[in-house]
Amino acid sequence: MSRRALTLLLAGFLVLALGVTGASRPVPYVVLSPGPTENTIGEVDKKPVISINGRQTYPTSGALSLVTVAYQGGPAAQIDLLTALRGWVDPTVAVVPQETIFAPDRTVKQVEQENTVEMSNSQDSATAAALNELKIAYTTVVTVVSTEPKMPANGKLMKDDEIVAVDGTPAKNVDVVGDTVKAHKPGESVRFTVKRAGKELDVTVPTTKGTEGQTLVGVSMQGRFKFPFDVDINVGDVGGPSAGLMFSLGIVDKLTPGEITGGKRIAGTGTINPAGEVGPIGGIAQKMVGAQDSGATVFLTPADNCAEAVKAVPDGLRLVRADTLHDAVLALDALRTGKGNIPACEAG
């Protein structure tokens, strides 16, 4: 072999070795792909996704499926360059910077815990929205989440205390409690009426001045709903708030005669608040692919995601815009009966 040929061979080998080494190096990106779907009026692991006890329920058919996005990568298990390159050429997945999913000051465990909390809150909001849609009354209670060390409330108010009133004013929500405390001058005392371990008692808590001059007692509170019957939602290992709309629709379907799907396979996504307003979500392109893979023919889409969804909708999947839970119910009625308006997504 000539020296020239040997040099070319060695150079080629070096380029190949460097390419292989580079392709296997971790990169700070995350691959998003279509995740599993769950039928909210179906079962997971032989258990109903939505169980309602203490209220009459009705048969359902078809599917009202929530959709998810799976991710690969993250601070604890970064993907390599080759995996990222494969994702960039695959139209069904997205490759995004790692900090898009995992903020620099958040660990993978913290993100997963936050997703779990968001899912729990989403289920409560979805139940409240469904009951509002059906005009079923429920109440809201304010509970103690925690108290700050070395602050007046520490040792006086306890975790899970239900705050009934403050200075005799009914605690209708967190804002009422906070405003009543702030109405005091620092150093004055506030009388909390709380329910603790089934008993109602008054707790007097002195106030202090905060760093910005505001009146504080040092308590974190959360508004919780008290529903007139039990609604239990079981989705397995799924986190985040984006299934709210589909939970609400599943609850409405189970609590009303007739089948709002008309036997169709409906999928959708969107956050929801107790007023029934549908909010935007991430990963819409991947969620539509997951919906199509599950056999859905209709996809309920938050209004703020419509412009993006129109550009990436798979063939055979009909996009229906959902501004509110009520709008989604009316759209499903129109799909089932062939009468009424069915709002469509439009390009921005």
Side-chain angles (χ1 to χ4, degrees):
M1 181 181 296
S2 68
R3 179 177 295 180
R4 179 182 177 81
L6 180 60
T7 300
L8 290 173
L9 180 62
L10 290 174
F13 178 78
L14 180 60
V15 169
L16 178 62
L18 289 173
V20 171
T21 302
S24 62
R25 290 181 63 83
V27 292
Y29 288 90
V30 174
V31 174
L32 305 179
S33 58
T37 62
E38 299 292 355
N39 180 11
T40 61
I41 52 175
E43 295 184 342
V44 173
D45 297 330
K46 298 182 179 180
K47 294 181 180 179
V49 173
I50 298 174
S51 299
I52 298 174
N53 296 301
R55 183 90 176 190
Q56 183 177 359
T57 58
Y58 300 88
T60 61
S61 68
L64 288 167
S65 296
L66 63 88
V67 287
T68 64
V69 174
Y71 74 87
Q72 183 181 2
Q78 287 188 321
I79 60 173
D80 57 37
L81 179 59
L82 187 60
T83 301
L85 290 172
R86 283 199 299 262
W88 274 313
V89 299
D90 186 342
T92 68
V93 305
V95 181
V96 299
Q98 183 174 285
E99 61 267 22
T100 304
I101 310 297
F102 302 95
D105 60 343
R106 291 285 186 272
T107 66
V108 173
K109 185 175 182 180
Q110 286 174 322
V111 171
E112 291 176 347
Q113 288 174 338
E114 289 168 2
N115 284 341
T116 299
V117 171
E118 287 181 336
M119 172 59 82
S120 177
N121 291 339
S122 171
Q123 292 172 1
D124 285 345
S125 293
T127 303
L131 268 58
N132 284 333
E133 173 69 17
L134 298 174
K135 309 260 187 313
I136 298 173
Y138 61 90
T139 57
T140 303
V141 298
V142 178
T143 59
V144 174
V145 176
S146 63
T147 56
E148 297 180 36
K150 300 181 181 179
M151 291 292 281
N154 191 41
K156 292 182 175 293
L157 296 176
M158 304 296 176
K159 185 178 184 298
D160 295 328
D161 276 355
E162 180 184 321
I163 300 175
V164 178
V166 186
D167 291 337
T169 300
K172 295 181 179 180
N173 53 52
V174 171
D175 289 339
V176 168
V177 177
D179 290 344
T180 305
V181 171
K182 291 174 185 175
H184 285 266
K185 295 179 180 179
E188 294 180 346
S189 293
V190 182
R191 178 168 55 89
F192 288 86
T193 304
V194 303
K195 283 184 180 178
R196 181 183 300 165
K199 296 181 179 179
E200 192 168 294
L201 63 152
D202 288 334
V203 180
T204 300
V205 182
T207 61
T208 188
K209 182 185 291 187
T211 56
E212 298 179 1
Q214 72 275 40
T215 303
L216 300 173
V217 295
V219 60
S220 295
M221 301 168 290
Q222 180 182 30
R224 293 181 180 174
F225 303 113
K226 273 193 172 181
F227 301 119
F229 47 86
D230 293 330
V231 179
D232 183 59
I233 299 177
N234 162 50
V235 288
D237 188 22
V238 175
S242 64
L245 171 61
M246 302 314 291
F247 288 144
S248 288
L249 286 170
I251 294 168
V252 169
D253 197 10
K254 289 200 165 205
L255 289 175
T256 52
E259 301 166 344
I260 64 174
T261 65
K264 297 181 182 294
R265 300 190 67 82
I266 312 292
T269 187
T271 64
I272 202 161
N273 62 23
E277 297 167 332
V278 177
I281 51 78
I284 188 72
Q286 289 70 47
K287 289 179 177 179
M288 289 189 298
V289 172
Q292 185 187 52
D293 289 346
S294 73
T297 57
V298 174
F299 190 78
L300 298 171
T301 312
D304 289 342
N305 289 114
C306 270
E308 181 185 359
V310 167
K311 297 175 183 177
V313 60
D315 291 339
L317 192 65
R318 180 176 183 176
L319 300 183
V320 174
R321 192 182 76 246
D323 296 82
T324 66
L325 172 61
H326 185 65
D327 291 338
V329 171
L330 292 179
L332 292 179
D333 285 343
L335 281 168
R336 187 182 69 255
T337 63
K339 301 176 182 179
N341 179 52
I342 302 173
C345 277
E346 298 179 357

